[in-house]
């Protein structure tokens, strides 16, 4: 199904992206971590429990991301995970941050997210990325070629068309998705996503929680090139940020070693389970691994509520973010809940 940029239907959903107060809205990107003490079912139930709490703390949305062949992340079947989370909540928006579209037929993604919208009306987001979310060997197991990413702009338009109301002579419909108009987001960690989101008039989420280098240039490109659409009349940028809050700066820094070890393990090609925090991260990584990890985690805010508040204020001032999406990669679930609660309180 080929759709041109000009022909693609766009639905006016601008109000969904407007701040409800002067406070910059906060959302959550949950990694659905499997830990050394929690199996995949526990990780999925923890994600649902987090969403239920986040609803009461004022978070706007909770997203999960598609990752494959990673023992420590349980969100590979993303749409099913979202149904599990949405069923345990009432008002918070639930979505993909994101679906790695080159891995899928756009028609199937439209069917899945249209079904979610029928089940949980007015609460579903569909963020789309063009990275595979895995390694090249697993990509072949998905029956997708590396060249599939080249079709990403066209695939986005196909998803958008299948979610729009079906035309009178349209022979292929995404049932029950047609007419649900699930709002789309473009995700990115480079200039490409910024340019595409601007061209299509879609909200843009930048993955600065692991790729901070291009954040400011990408936001400038997105805002300067934005073309209003029926979904959105002006740019809307969401910025990803790692935030870990605890009673003191020192306690928060210790909790942050879990994420630092996860990044180190990625560099080593060891995709294992999430590990409990340690007292001295310097005993775990080499100087070169530390340099790599700290570069990717440069946008992290780690500390007491006062430190977190100052960090959030500075990030919003620097980026002009319309919304922040927070990763708080804390090992222990009750401690992670406390971190997210403190973040919400600090941002008020």
């Amino acid at each position: 199904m080929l759709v041109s940029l000009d022909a693609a239907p766009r639905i006016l959903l601008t109000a969904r992206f407007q701040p409800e107060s002067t406070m910059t809205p906060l959302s959550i990107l949950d990694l659905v971590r499997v830990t050394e003490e929690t199996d995949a079912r526990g990780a999925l139930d923890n994600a649902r429990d987090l969403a239920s709490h986040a609803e009461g703390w004022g978070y706007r949305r909770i997203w999960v991301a598609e990752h494959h062949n990673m023992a420590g992340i349980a969100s590979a079947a993303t749409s099913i995970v979202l149904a599990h989370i949405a069923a345990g909540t009432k008002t918070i928006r639930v979505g993909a941050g994101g679906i790695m579209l080159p891995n899928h037929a756009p028609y199937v993604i439209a069917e899945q997210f249209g079904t979610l919208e029928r089940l949980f009306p007015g609460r579903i987001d569909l963020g789309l990325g063009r990275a595979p979310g895995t390694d090249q060997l697993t990509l072949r197991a998905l029956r997708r070629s590396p060249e599939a990413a080249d079709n990403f702009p066209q695939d986005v338009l196909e998803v958008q068309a299948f979610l729009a109301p079906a035309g009178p002579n349209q022979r292929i419909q995404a049932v029950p998705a047609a007419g649900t108009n699930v709002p789309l987001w473009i995700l990115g960690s480079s200039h490409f996503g910024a340019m595409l989101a601007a061209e299509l008039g879609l909200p843009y989420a930048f993955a600065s929680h692991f790729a901070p280098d291009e954040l400011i240039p990408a936001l400038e490109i997105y805002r300067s090139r934005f073309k209003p659409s029926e979904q959105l009349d002006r740019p809307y940028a969401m910025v990803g940020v790692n935030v870990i809050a605890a009673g003191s700066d020192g306690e928060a820094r210790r909790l942050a070693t879990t994420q630092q070890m996860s990044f180190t393990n990625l560099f080593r090609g060891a995709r294992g389970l999430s590990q409990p925090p340690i007292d001295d991260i310097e005993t775990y990584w080499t100087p070169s691994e530390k340099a790599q990890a700290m570069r990717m985690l440069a946008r992290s805010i780690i500390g007491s509520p006062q430190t977190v508040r100052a960090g959030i204020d500075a990030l919003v001032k620097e980026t002009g973010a319309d919304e922040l999406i927070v990763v708080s990669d804390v090992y222990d679930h009750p401690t992670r809940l406390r971190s997210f609660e403190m973040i919400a309180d600090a941002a008020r």
Side-chain angles (χ1 to χ4, degrees):
M1 179 179 180
L2 297 179
V3 185
S4 71
L5 287 174
D6 293 335
R10 298 167 183 171
I11 305 303
L12 185 60
L13 299 171
T14 304
R16 295 189 182 187
F17 302 106
Q18 302 313 313
E20 296 168 356
S21 71
T22 56
M23 183 187 79
T24 302
L26 294 182
S27 292
I28 292 173
L29 176 61
D30 188 5
L31 302 177
V32 197
R33 288 284 198 192
V34 182
T35 75
E36 292 183 350
E37 300 172 25
T38 306
D39 61 11
R41 176 56 192 262
L44 295 166
D45 287 345
N46 284 345
R48 179 167 164 157
D49 184 59
L50 170 60
S52 177
H53 283 87
E55 205 166 54
W57 296 330
Y59 285 91
R60 176 168 289 188
R61 65 189 93 239
I62 183 167
W63 285 2
V64 302
E66 174 188 350
H67 292 94
H68 298 281
N69 195 28
M70 298 185 72
I73 296 180
S75 56
T78 312
S79 60
I80 298 175
V81 176
L82 295 179
H84 179 63
I85 292 172
T89 55
K90 296 179 180 179
T91 59
I92 194 170
R93 296 191 66 85
V94 178
I99 289 292
M100 302 298 104
L101 197 50
N103 296 341
H104 309 278
Y107 182 70
V108 173
I109 295 303
E111 288 178 328
Q112 292 175 359
F113 280 79
T115 300
L116 286 169
E117 179 64 23
R118 297 295 186 192
L119 291 170
F120 309 102
R123 294 179 55 204
I124 302 301
D125 298 324
L126 175 51
L128 299 170
R130 67 169 182 150
T134 187
D135 56 81
Q136 293 300 312
L137 185 63
T138 309
L139 195 62
R140 288 197 288 273
L142 289 165
R143 299 297 190 268
R144 305 299 285 176
S145 71
E147 293 75 27
D150 296 339
N151 298 323
F152 180 65
Q154 182 66 36
D155 287 349
V156 172
L157 292 173
E158 287 197 24
V159 171
Q160 190 177 51
F162 280 126
L163 292 169
N169 300 315
Q170 185 173 326
R171 298 180 62 186
I172 302 176
Q173 298 184 27
V175 179
T180 56
N181 299 309
V182 175
L184 302 185
W185 292 69
I186 299 296
L187 313 184
S189 57
S190 68
H191 295 175
F192 180 88
M195 291 187 287
L196 182 62
E199 176 67 26
L200 300 182
L202 295 175
Y204 179 52
F206 190 88
S208 40
H209 58 290
F210 69 83
D213 290 351
E214 298 298 321
L215 171 61
I216 300 303
L219 293 178
E220 291 174 350
I221 289 170
Y222 171 61
R223 290 169 176 146
S224 65
R225 299 189 183 190
F226 183 84
K227 297 179 180 179
S229 71
E230 291 185 16
Q231 177 168 328
L232 197 63
D233 64 359
R234 60 184 181 272
Y236 191 95
M238 181 159 65
V239 171
V241 57
N242 298 296
V243 187
I244 294 178
S248 68
D249 288 353
E251 181 185 357
R253 285 194 295 269
R254 182 177 185 277
L255 295 177
T257 60
T258 289
Q259 186 177 44
Q260 291 166 344
M261 287 188 288
S262 293
F263 273 76
T264 302
N265 292 343
L266 284 176
F267 306 146
R268 296 173 179 175
R271 298 179 176 181
L273 304 181
S274 181
Q275 298 169 263
I278 58 178
D279 292 330
D280 185 5
I281 188 63
E282 302 300 334
T283 64
Y284 192 84
W285 55 20
T286 66
S288 62
E289 289 169 342
K290 177 181 180 179
Q292 284 181 282
M294 296 309 290
R295 179 177 178 182
M296 296 180 73
L297 296 171
R299 288 283 177 181
S300 299
I301 302 170
I302 299 168
S304 67
Q306 294 79 13
T307 300
V308 167
R309 176 57 187 261
I312 288 175
D313 287 347
L315 180 62
V316 172
K317 183 178 180 180
E318 179 188 7
T319 63
D322 298 291
E323 187 171 340
L324 298 180
I325 187 161
V326 175
V327 176
S328 195
D329 192 3
V330 174
Y331 180 81
D332 176 68
H333 182 60
T335 308
R336 184 170 65 129
L337 292 179
R338 181 60 180 149
S339 177
F340 274 116
E341 183 179 16
M342 296 173 76
I343 294 164
D345 289 342
R348 289 192 177 96

